[in-house]
Amino acid sequence: MFQSPFLRRLRKYAAALPALAFGFVASPAFSATVVMNASGVTSGTNTASFLGATLTTSAGGSFTKSTSPGINPSTVIGVSGGVLNNEVDVPGERLRINFGSTGAIVSEITIGLIYLSGQVGDLNNEAVQFQTNGGTSCASGAIAFCILSASGAYRGSIVGVTSLSPATAGSGGLFKVSNPFGAELITSIDLMPWAISGTGAANSDFGLVSVTYTTTAIPEPGTLALVGIGLLGLAFAGRRARA
């Protein structure tokens, strides 16, 4: 029985579908790059879910959202309570990002509302600390307590810090930290005000703009099963066409 080249190729691909289905089901993991920002957060709640991560507030606080002033206005995430309701600004307040046991690679963190000394009553250049993976120091080789100040300095890994909006009067500094932890798999990050000696953390408030990370997510088993059945069905149809 004569068959066109197109039908022959179609039969060949259909015969390979069972193997493809098995490979897909046997290797379900895939990588995805995610941007965590205020669009995924609801004010008044204390937990927000993203692909491969959750964002939570400190005990007793809830998410707040506000717009940072300056040449690059952005929506920042804060924690209710404290001195200012729209920032993370007193001891005990924090934003925690949990990536789970598999971890994630963090490629970018953007922080806003960081003012210079003398602006809006602040006594020092404001700073935020990133405490990751439960670490306790920012010494070489340790990923923790890395401080980003209003001047744009960063104490920690070798990273690039870009000023997106100057930390001047009426313009809370907006800073982007690129590749903050290198290729390290980060399981959690606590973002907290840096308690400046003699002034307390209330003089070092900030808001979170965004975190960009790459995660390894695993699709739901039901989704994998449906895809596998669909592929097997296509293969079966190809066999029937040959009969």
Side-chain angles (χ1 to χ4, degrees):
M1 177 179 170
F2 172 79
Q3 285 187 340
S4 68
F6 172 77
L7 286 177
R8 287 197 297 270
R9 285 196 298 271
L10 185 60
R11 288 176 58 188
K12 178 181 177 181
Y13 295 147
L17 283 174
L20 290 174
F22 177 80
F24 186 83
V25 174
S27 304
F30 67 95
S31 295
T33 298
V34 183
V35 178
M36 174 185 290
N37 57 31
S39 65
V41 170
T42 300
S43 297
T45 64
N46 55 22
T47 302
S49 296
F50 298 83
L51 179 62
T54 57
L55 176 66
T56 58
T57 65
S58 48
S62 58
F63 293 124
T64 63
K65 295 195 286 187
S66 60
T67 303
S68 66
I71 60 174
N72 247 332
S74 300
T75 304
V76 298
I77 305 168
V79 178
S80 64
V83 177
L84 296 172
N85 198 46
N86 63 338
E87 297 182 299
V88 185
D89 65 355
V90 294
E93 281 195 349
R94 58 146 177 79
L95 290 169
R96 170 170 291 174
I97 304 168
N98 194 320
F99 298 109
S101 59
T102 55
I105 295 176
V106 179
S107 56
E108 188 176 290
I109 300 177
T110 302
I111 300 292
L113 301 178
I114 304 180
Y115 288 91
L116 291 169
S117 174
Q119 306 292 339
V120 295
D122 288 308
L123 303 179
N124 298 83
N125 287 350
E126 293 185 323
V128 54
Q129 55 179 326
F130 307 152
Q131 181 179 346
T132 70
N133 296 355
T136 56
S137 85
C138 208
S140 176
I143 311 290
F145 282 115
C146 301
I147 306 165
L148 173 66
S149 72
S151 63
Y154 185 82
R155 187 189 308 169
S157 309
I158 300 175
V159 296
V161 177
T162 304
S163 175
L164 303 177
S165 189
T168 57
S171 178
L174 186 67
F175 294 101
K176 178 178 70 175
V177 187
S178 300
N179 195 31
F181 314 115
E184 294 284 341
L185 279 173
I186 304 301
T187 57
S188 66
I189 306 175
D190 281 345
L191 296 97
M192 301 170 289
W194 178 251
I196 300 170
S197 177
T199 63
N203 277 287
S204 196
D205 40 76
F206 68 94
L208 174 64
V209 176
S210 65
V211 177
T212 303
Y213 60 94
T214 300
T215 181
T216 301
I218 300 177
E220 292 292 332
T223 302
L224 292 173
L226 286 174
V227 173
I229 291 170
L231 291 174
L232 288 170
L234 286 174
F236 180 73
R239 294 188 57 166
R240 288 192 62 185
R242 291 199 302 271

